[in-house]
C-alpha cells in the first residue's frame, strides 16, 4: 500500500513538472516580440549610462537596442532634452540614421523621416584593438580590470600625445552587437548629441563597448576639467517606435524623393 502511494505521488510530481515546463514554454513564446506594422519597430534592450562632469551636471543616458534587427534608437533620454521637432533617431546596421520628426508644413500629417548616413569603417580594419598610432596610445592596466554592469571589462590608460595635460582611463567589454552605431551618432549634423566621451575618435572595435571612461584635463591656467561615463546596466525593455504614418524624405542626386516609409522599411521576422 505504501509503495502504491509513493508511486502515485511520483507520477503526480512528474505531471506537475511537465505542466510547468509547458506553461513556461508558452510564456516564452508569447514574450518573443518583433517588429510590427501596427505597433512599430521594436526594441528589447536599454543600455543605461550615468554621466557627470566638472560643471556639476549629473544625468542618465538611455540608448535602446533591438537584439533582433540590430537597430539602435536614440531619443530625449539619450541626448538629455525634449525636442518638439525631433522625436527619435534610429540607427540601422548599414550606417543610415533615420530622424523621425514633425514639420508644420510637412506632407499629410507632417510626420517626416529624414535620412543621413555615416561611413562605418569595416570591422576587419579594426581587429588590432585598441589601436596605437602617432596620436593615441593604449596601455593595458590589468590590475584595474573589473566587471561592470555584468560585463568583463578590460582597463586601458589612453595617452593622447597631443594633449600632455590630459588623462583618460577607459574600460572596454566585448559584446555581440555593433557598437559603431553608437560611436558614430555624433557625426551627424544635429544639435542633439551624446556626450563627447562616446566620440568615434578612439576607433574602437565593432564589438567593443565602452563600459566606463574617466577623462580629465588641466589647461594652461591650471583649471581642471573632468567627466565620467559609466554603464550602469543593460536591461530588458519594451519600446515601440511607430513608423507607418511617416513619410520618408530622401535626396538622391539633385532630386528630393518623398514616399511612405512603410514602402522602404524592412521589418524583422520572428526572432527568438
Amino acid at each position: 500500500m505504501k509503495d502504491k502511494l509513493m508511486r502515485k505521488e511520483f507520477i503526480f510530481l512528474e505531471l506537475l513538472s511537465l505542466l510547468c515546463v509547458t506553461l513556461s514554454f508558452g510564456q516564452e513564446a508569447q514574450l518573443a516580440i518583433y517588429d510590427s506594422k501596427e505597433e512599430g519597430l521594436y526594441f528589447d534592450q536599454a543600455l543605461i549610462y550615468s554621466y557627470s562632469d566638472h560643471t556639476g551636471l549629473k544625468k542618465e543616458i538611455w540608448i535602446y537596442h533591438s537584439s533582433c534587427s540590430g537597430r539602435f534608437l536614440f531619443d530625449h533620454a539619450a541626448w538629455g532634452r525634449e525636442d518638439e521637432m525631433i522625436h527619435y533617431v534610429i540607427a540601422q546596421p548599414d550606417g543610415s540614421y533615420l530622424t523621425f520628426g514633425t514639420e508644420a508644413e510637412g506632407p499629410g500629417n507632417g510626420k517626416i523621416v529624414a535620412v543621413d548616413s555615416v561611413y562605418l569603417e569595416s570591422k576587419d580594419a579594426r581587429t588590432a584593438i585598441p589601436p596605437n598610432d602617432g596620436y593615441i596610445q593604449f596601455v593595458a592596466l590589468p590590475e584595474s580590470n573589473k566587471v561592470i554592469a555584468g560585463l568583463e571589462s578590460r582597463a586601458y590608460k589612453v595617452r593622447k600625445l597631443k594633449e600632455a595635460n590630459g588623462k583618460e582611463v577607459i574600460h572596454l567589454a566585448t559584446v555581440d552587437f555593433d557598437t559603431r552605431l553608437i560611436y558614430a551618432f555624433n557625426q551627424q549634423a544635429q544639435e542633439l548629441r551624446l556626450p563627447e566621451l562616446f566620440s568615434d575618435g578612439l576607433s574602437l572595435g565593432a564589438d567593443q563597448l565602452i563600459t566606463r571612461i574617466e577623462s580629465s584635463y588641466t589647461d594652461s591656467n591650471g583649471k581642471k576639467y573632468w567627466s565620467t561615463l559609466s554603464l550602469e546596466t543593460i536591461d530588458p525593455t519594451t519600446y515601440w517606435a511607430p513608423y507607418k504614418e511617416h513619410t520618408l524624405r530622401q535626396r538622391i542626386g539633385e532630386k528630393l524623393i518623398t514616399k511612405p516609409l512603410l514602402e522602404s522599411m524592412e521589418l524583422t521576422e520572428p526572432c527568438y
Side-chain angles (χ1 to χ4, degrees), residues 1 3-14:
M1 185 68 176
D3 290 339
K4 288 183 178 180
L5 289 174
M6 291 181 64
R7 180 172 177 78
K8 287 182 178 179
E9 184 178 358
F10 177 77
I11 292 174
F12 173 76
L13 291 174
E14 278 195 316

Side-chain angles (χ1 to χ4, degrees), residues 109-168:
N109 55 17
K111 294 181 179 179
I112 294 294
V113 175
V115 183
D116 191 15
S117 296
V118 299
Y119 172 71
L120 295 179
E121 187 177 359
S122 68
K123 295 180 181 181
D124 292 340
R126 295 183 166 195
T127 54
I129 302 298
N132 288 304
D133 54 31
Y135 303 97
I136 298 177
Q137 292 181 351
F138 286 80
V139 180
L141 302 173
E143 69 280 2
S144 297
N145 293 348
K146 61 178 66 175
V147 176
I148 300 175
L151 299 175
E152 294 284 348
S153 302
R154 295 181 176 274
Y156 299 89
K157 179 180 180 180
V158 184
R159 296 182 58 201
K160 297 180 179 180
L161 304 185
K162 289 190 174 183
E163 296 181 11
N165 295 329
K167 295 181 180 179
E168 203 162 87

Side-chain angles (χ1 to χ4, degrees), residues 23-87:
L23 289 173
S24 176
F25 179 80
Q27 289 172 350
E28 288 178 2
Q30 292 173 5
L31 290 174
I33 303 178
Y34 43 92
D35 297 338
S36 161
K37 288 184 180 180
E38 296 302 319
E39 298 292 340
L41 305 178
Y42 181 67
F43 296 84
D44 61 328
Q45 293 182 329
L47 286 69
I48 305 174
Y49 285 87
S50 61
Y51 173 84
S52 58
D53 62 29
H54 62 278
T55 67
L57 176 64
K58 293 182 179 180
K59 64 178 181 177
E60 281 191 345
I61 299 162
W62 289 54
I63 300 172
Y64 297 94
H65 175 247
S66 168
S67 60
C68 201
S69 68
R71 297 185 182 105
F72 286 87
L73 182 145
F74 308 84
D75 65 4
H76 66 278
W79 54 64
R81 62 183 176 87
E82 296 281 356
D83 190 285
E84 294 182 358
M85 304 301 291
I86 298 178
H87 305 150

Side-chain angles (χ1 to χ4, degrees), residues 43 47 63-66 69-74 78 89-98 116-121 123 126 175 177-188 194 198-200 204-209:
F43 296 84
L47 286 69
I63 300 172
Y64 297 94
H65 175 247
S66 168
S69 68
R71 297 185 182 105
F72 286 87
L73 182 145
F74 308 84
V89 178
I90 292 179
Q92 304 198 103
D94 64 356
S96 61
Y97 287 76
L98 309 179
D116 191 15
S117 296
V118 299
Y119 172 71
L120 295 179
E121 187 177 359
K123 295 180 181 181
R126 295 183 166 195
V175 293
F177 51 81
D178 194 341
T179 57
R180 296 175 301 170
L181 296 171
I182 299 175
Y183 306 142
F185 181 83
N186 284 353
Q187 292 182 26
Q188 301 179 94
L194 300 178
F198 280 116
S199 172
D200 194 44
L204 301 176
D207 62 350
Q208 285 199 311
L209 181 68

Side-chain angles (χ1 to χ4, degrees), residues 107 111 113 243-249 257-265:
K111 294 181 179 179
V113 175
Y243 79 100
K244 74 174 185 176
E245 296 182 357
H246 288 75
T247 299
L248 178 66
R249 177 182 291 173
I257 307 297
T258 60
K259 60 181 178 180
L261 180 61
L262 191 63
E263 297 178 4
S264 303
M265 182 63 68

